[in-house]
Amino acid sequence: MPTVLSTESVDCLSKLAYQTLKVRKGAHLFQEGQDGDRFFVVLKGKFQINKLSGDGKQLCLRLCGPSSIMGELMIFAKNGKYLFSARALEDSEVLVIRNEAIERELLTNPLFAADFMPVMTDHIRKQHTKFRDLVLYGKKGALYSTLIRMTNSYGVPVENGILLDVQMTNQDLANFSSTTRESVNRALNELKGMGILSFEGRKIIIHDLEYLKQEINCENCPTSYCNIE
């Protein structure tokens, strides 16, 4: 399961917030390169955290739902710029907190810090493993990594494997893998031909998860950061 803040920590942050902001579907909450002086907590809706790759393609790093945090890497960063972009996947609502407010809370409230820091650490580890898979094993490896993460987020055991109980397009998979939809089509058809996976309507059934793990030397990381969310 993804790591999110406790109800108590969200309540604490709501007292620090200077604004509750509504974000329409498709709009950016913040974009890569903008001044990173604010921190956000999702109250409702869902956001996609993206990074532009060196060849200009979009790499989706994670999805953020209620009680998720965004912009956390800019805390204690002097004059920092956002490293990623956050785009709303549906009509959403967030708490907006100035970095200096949350920095003071982290320094003076040990219970809050003890809840907050593991969430922040899991996000860093998740992003590190995502970039590791892309750099070491290429875009096919990034796709395999995405499929593994999807089994941890949406996998449902069925008779002949693991059903990914979510409708995700090949373009969505391409965004998570920093590649093109055509490349994803080819890779999925290749895996289907090998019997590694099959399709049930618009959903995927993974028949041989171990094959995908072996191809990227999977370290069997905890599901708290080996997931899509």
Side-chain angles (χ1 to χ4, degrees):
M1 293 295 292
T3 305
V4 296
L5 293 174
S6 67
T7 301
E8 292 77 12
S9 289
V10 173
D11 289 342
C12 177
L13 288 171
S14 67
K15 297 174 183 176
L16 301 177
Y18 72 89
Q19 183 183 16
T20 299
L21 183 66
K22 295 181 185 289
V23 186
R24 297 298 299 270
K25 179 180 178 180
H28 279 92
L29 177 62
F30 58 85
Q31 290 184 276
E32 186 176 340
Q34 291 179 338
D35 289 340
D37 57 350
R38 296 177 298 166
F39 170 86
F40 307 92
V41 182
V42 182
L43 295 179
K44 64 180 181 180
K46 184 171 288 187
F47 289 84
Q48 188 178 74
I49 304 300
N50 302 315
K51 174 75 175 175
L52 286 178
S53 63
D55 56 4
K57 294 185 178 66
Q58 178 177 275
L59 174 62
C60 180
L61 295 171
R62 74 178 196 267
L63 302 178
C64 296
S67 298
S68 295
I69 61 176
M70 299 181 292
E72 69 280 2
L73 296 183
M74 293 300 100
I75 296 174
F76 293 110
K78 300 303 180 183
N79 302 315
K81 307 287 185 181
Y82 290 121
L83 302 175
F84 312 113
S85 301
R87 183 173 63 87
L89 297 180
E90 56 194 52
D91 288 347
S92 303
E93 189 173 316
V94 299
L95 291 173
V96 186
I97 305 165
R98 291 187 175 88
N99 286 355
E100 55 264 28
I102 193 169
E103 289 166 4
R104 286 194 299 269
E105 192 69 20
L106 285 168
L107 292 172
T108 59
N109 186 339
L111 292 178
F112 170 74
D115 185 49
F116 180 88
M117 295 309 295
V119 178
M120 185 171 176
T121 300
D122 278 352
H123 287 178
I124 294 172
R125 295 173 75 180
K126 183 183 298 185
Q127 287 155 194
H128 170 78
T129 55
K130 188 85 172 180
F131 287 128
R132 177 204 63 192
D133 293 341
L134 181 59
V135 171
L136 293 182
Y137 305 108
K139 294 177 180 179
K140 182 179 287 189
L143 173 62
Y144 291 2
S145 173
T146 297
L147 292 172
I148 294 169
R149 292 169 189 273
M150 288 179 66
T151 63
N152 291 331
S153 293
Y154 307 115
V156 176
V158 293
E159 184 177 353
N160 57 345
I162 303 172
L163 171 69
L164 305 186
D165 193 20
V166 61
Q167 291 192 5
M168 187 168 291
T169 68
N170 285 4
Q171 184 60 58
D172 292 329
L173 290 173
N175 291 342
F176 276 106
S177 309
S178 188
T179 187
T180 64
R181 181 173 55 84
E182 292 76 16
S183 295
V184 167
N185 291 345
R186 288 194 295 270
L188 291 178
N189 285 329
E190 179 181 326
L191 291 171
K192 179 182 177 182
M194 296 166 60
I196 306 301
L197 57 77
S198 63
F199 301 96
E200 185 176 281
R202 294 187 176 183
K203 297 181 180 180
I204 296 173
I205 299 177
I206 305 293
H207 302 296
D208 191 349
L209 183 61
E210 286 306 310
Y211 173 85
L212 299 177
K213 289 184 174 183
Q214 290 171 8
E215 287 296 294
I216 61 169
N217 291 319
C218 178
E219 299 172 357
N220 291 308
C221 302
T223 58
S224 61
Y225 61 90
C226 184
N227 58 67
I228 291 295
E229 300 182 343

